[in-house]
């Protein structure tokens, strides 16, 4: 059985289910917190891919590596059981929740691809569809007789590229957890796999997840507010869940690598520019200056000319980033808390400010101020967050979001075959996002994943390089 996609056929070798070891876990339900509920509006699943070198034929992988991957995944799921669970969405007025029952499992696919491994792990431009055959599809939700929806939360696909390497790709529903939860899971699975399932040899060195959802404080009563907003649109949301829209025509993806030297020069340049016309001292983190550079370059790449059209100059452009707040004083959750613990920050600026002479500096000022506000009050305007998102989803809005974070250290995910040759967020090609991660080969560097149409992506990189050249000359 093969799927033809962009001239790279993928042969499905096996479809199966992987569950925690039987009889070890009792049936369990987990309530959704106010951190989880806004993710009902996230129609597309989160998709993260890891590529590893494996210079052996397929049959060798199937005989040696695959059994260890499966066994270690099963052992891992006994602690990370929400990924093998289902989201239960009963009819109103009942409240959605996550349920695990003994025997629940996740979809696990094994495939073989003839794609070029060297191209896939490179930072060069490639058709976004080159990765799609490597991405698993979440099973469709089931509808019970009483109207209750039963929604699987994760699917995994392992794809062998003979004599070169293999990929591990995960698709999961964001309601199950955030990036920190995912990568805690991945590092645990990788460690168990590397130890070939010998838990005794690594006991004490692995962090176990905390499922204590009753520890999540809700001082503003946000869960009730969000549930009231959801009750009128939940059926419609569930109808769209999992549907894939064809938005990939003529899109390419690539990875921009900013070295530590690039970042430090950018910080220094922005800081010097700020003192010349802005008041106050900014805390210019790597995150702030990188997002500012990318946002301005993205907005400028939309312009057909250097200056914005007069009628568009006052248009507001939005930048959205998410912040993990487990260690914020108002929550004081353990770093291993499993679930969502993200707050949204929305930065709005006029297009004319972003494309102007001091665009990067203005953007850095605005993003840094948003970070500072977040630290002083993580739930500022949170009661209006869902209505904000509905407004921003309207057609014609200029919205750029950030997925991932360098703090997730994705390149420390070693299953026993070395660190990944590449790890990336796949769904940026359909979500209007750029991705950020730590850098595989440059300590202190940062990788930025971008997916745009072919003409615009060249314009984007030309503008971004001009900005960096300006930094070097000015520095």
């Amino acid at each position: 059985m093969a799927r033809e996609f962009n001239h790279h056929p993928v042969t499905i070798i096996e479809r199966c289910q992987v569950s925690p070891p039987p009889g070890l876990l009792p049936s369990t339900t987990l309530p959704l917190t106010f951190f989880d509920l806004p993710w009902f509006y996230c129609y597309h699943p989160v998709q993260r891919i890891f590529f590893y070198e494996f210079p052996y034929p397929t049959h060798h992988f199937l005989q040696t590596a695959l059994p260890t991957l499966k066994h270690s995944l099963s052992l891992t799921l006994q602690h990370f059981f929400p990924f093998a669970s289902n989201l239960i969405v009963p009819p109103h007025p009942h409240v959605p929740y996550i349920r695990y029952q003994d025997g629940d499992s996740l979809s696990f696919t094994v495939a073989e691809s003839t794609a070029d491994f060297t191209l896939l792990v490179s930072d060069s431009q490639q058709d976004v569809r080159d990765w799609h055959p490597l991405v698993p599809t979440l099973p469709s939700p089931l509808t019970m007789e009483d109207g209750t929806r039963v929604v699987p939360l994760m699917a995994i696909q392992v794809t062998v590229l003979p004599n070169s390497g293999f990929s591990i790709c995960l698709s999961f529903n964001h309601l199950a957890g955030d990036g920190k939860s995912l990568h805690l899971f991945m590092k645990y699975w990788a460690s168990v796999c590397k130890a070939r399932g010998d838990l005794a040899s690594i006991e004490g060195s692995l962090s176990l997840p905390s499922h204590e959802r009753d520890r999540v404080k809700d001082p503003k009563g946000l869960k009730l507010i969000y549930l009231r907003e959801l009750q009128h649109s939940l059926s419609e949301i569930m109808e769209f869940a999992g549907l894939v829209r064809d938005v990939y025509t003529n899109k390419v993806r690539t990875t921009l690598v900013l070295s530590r030297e690039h970042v430090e020069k950018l910080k220094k340049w922005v800081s010097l520019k700020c003192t010349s016309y802005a008041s106050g001292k900014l805390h210019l983190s790597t995150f702030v200056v990188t997002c500012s550079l990318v946002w301005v370059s993205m907005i400028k790449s939309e312009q057909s000319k250097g200056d914005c059209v007069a009628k568009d100059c006052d248009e507001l452009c939005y930048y959205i980033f998410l912040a993990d707040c487990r260690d914020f004083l108002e929550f004081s959750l353990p770093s291993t808390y499993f679930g969502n613990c993200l707050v949204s920050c929305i930065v709005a600026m006029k297009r004319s400010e972003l494309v102007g002479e001091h665009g990067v500096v203005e953007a850095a000022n605005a993003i840094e101020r948003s970070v500072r506000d977040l630290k002083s009050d993580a739930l500022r305007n949170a009661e209006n967050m869902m209505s904000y998102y509905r407004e921003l989803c309207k057609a014609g809005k200029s919205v750029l979001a950030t997925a991932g974070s360098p703090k997730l250290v994705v390149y420390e995910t070693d299953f026993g075959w070395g660190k990944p040759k590449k790890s990336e967020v796949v769904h940026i090609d359909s979500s209007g996002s750029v991705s950020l991660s730590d850098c595989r080969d440059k300590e202190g560097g940062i990788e930025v994943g971008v997916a745009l149409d072919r003409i615009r992506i060249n314009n984007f990189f030309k503008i971004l390089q001009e900005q960096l050249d300006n930094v070097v000359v000015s520095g």
Side-chain angles (χ1 to χ4, degrees), residues 305-319:
K305 298 180 180 179
D307 298 323
C308 58
V309 180
K311 66 181 179 66
D312 293 331
C313 282
D314 289 334
E315 176 197 1
L316 284 177
C317 301
Y318 299 90
Y319 193 86

Side-chain angles (χ1 to χ4, degrees), residues 181-229:
S181 297
L182 174 71
H183 290 284
L184 182 66
F185 160 77
M186 286 299 296
K187 288 180 176 61
Y188 191 101
W189 179 18
S191 297
V192 176
C193 184
K194 193 173 183 179
R196 302 188 66 81
D198 183 4
L199 292 176
S201 68
I202 53 177
E203 188 176 4
S205 64
L206 299 180
S207 297
L208 293 174
S210 167
H211 299 290
E212 300 175 282
R213 300 205 167 195
D214 57 346
R215 293 184 59 175
V216 177
K217 300 171 185 175
D218 185 6
K220 292 190 172 185
L222 295 173
K223 181 172 180 176
L224 184 57
I225 293 172
Y226 292 168
L227 283 170
R228 284 173 178 166
E229 292 198 40

Side-chain angles (χ1 to χ4, degrees), residues 11 24 86 91 98 103 109 121 136 141-142 145 155 169 195 252 308 314 382 401 415 449:
T11 302
L24 292 184
N86 290 291
I98 292 172
T109 301
V121 301
L142 298 175
E145 288 185 4
C169 189
V252 294
C308 58
D314 289 334
F415 282 81

Side-chain angles (χ1 to χ4, degrees), residues 11-15 62 66 70 108-112 158 160:
T11 302
I12 302 300
I13 297 172
E14 178 186 8
R15 295 189 194 275
L62 297 179
L66 183 62
K70 282 185 180 180
F108 190 90
T109 301
V110 183
E112 183 184 54
V158 174
V160 187

Side-chain angles (χ1 to χ4, degrees), residues 71-317:
H71 177 58
S72 57
L73 174 59
S74 176
L75 295 176
T76 299
L77 287 173
Q78 68 181 309
H79 300 295
F80 294 84
F81 62 88
F83 284 143
S85 304
N86 290 291
L87 172 69
I88 307 300
V89 186
H92 179 73
H94 302 289
V95 177
Y97 58 95
I98 292 172
R99 182 190 69 195
Y100 174 78
Q101 294 180 325
D102 189 32
D104 280 350
S105 59
L106 58 75
S107 169
F108 190 90
T109 301
V110 183
E112 183 184 54
S113 172
T114 61
D116 184 343
F117 181 78
T118 302
L119 174 62
L120 291 174
V121 301
S122 73
D123 295 332
S124 58
Q125 293 185 19
Q126 50 192 298
D127 193 312
V128 297
R129 293 171 293 183
D130 287 355
W131 288 11
H132 289 185
L134 313 179
V135 178
T137 300
L138 275 171
S140 300
L142 298 175
T143 303
M144 310 305 286
E145 288 185 4
D146 66 352
T148 297
R149 299 292 184 95
V150 181
V151 185
L153 291 173
M154 177 175 277
I156 297 176
Q157 180 171 318
V158 174
T159 306
V160 187
L161 296 101
N163 303 309
S164 301
F166 68 94
S167 64
I168 300 175
C169 189
L170 306 95
S171 292
F172 73 100
N173 190 314
H174 212 311
L175 282 152
D178 55 20
K180 192 157 189 176
S181 297
L182 174 71
H183 290 284
L184 182 66
F185 160 77
M186 286 299 296
K187 288 180 176 61
Y188 191 101
W189 179 18
S191 297
V192 176
C193 184
K194 193 173 183 179
R196 302 188 66 81
D198 183 4
L199 292 176
S201 68
I202 53 177
E203 188 176 4
S205 64
L206 299 180
S207 297
L208 293 174
S210 167
H211 299 290
E212 300 175 282
R213 300 205 167 195
D214 57 346
R215 293 184 59 175
V216 177
K217 300 171 185 175
D218 185 6
K220 292 190 172 185
L222 295 173
K223 181 172 180 176
L224 184 57
I225 293 172
Y226 292 168
L227 283 170
R228 284 173 178 166
E229 292 198 40
L230 274 170
Q231 70 181 38
H232 301 296
S233 54
L234 199 49
S235 294
E236 181 181 345
I237 288 171
M238 296 308 298
E239 288 297 328
F240 282 100
L243 293 181
V244 178
R245 287 168 287 183
D246 185 14
V247 294
Y248 311 110
T249 305
N250 208 34
K251 269 193 176 183
V252 294
R253 67 183 306 133
T254 188
T255 303
L256 163 71
V257 179
L258 292 176
S259 66
R260 182 198 292 268
E261 183 182 18
H262 279 135
V263 171
E264 291 305 318
K265 285 184 177 180
L266 190 57
K267 288 180 184 178
K268 181 180 177 182
W269 180 77
V270 172
S271 181
L272 289 172
K273 292 291 182 180
C274 281
T275 58
S276 66
Y277 77 96
S279 59
K281 188 173 182 180
L282 303 181
H283 174 62
L284 296 173
S285 65
T286 297
F287 175 83
V288 168
V289 296
T290 301
C291 292
S292 305
L293 175 67
V294 171
W295 189 20
V296 167
S297 300
M298 195 69 76
I299 295 299
K300 285 188 173 182
S301 73
E302 296 173 350
Q303 308 296 136
S304 57
K305 298 180 180 179
D307 298 323
C308 58
V309 180
K311 66 181 179 66
D312 293 331
C313 282
D314 289 334
E315 176 197 1
L316 284 177
C317 301

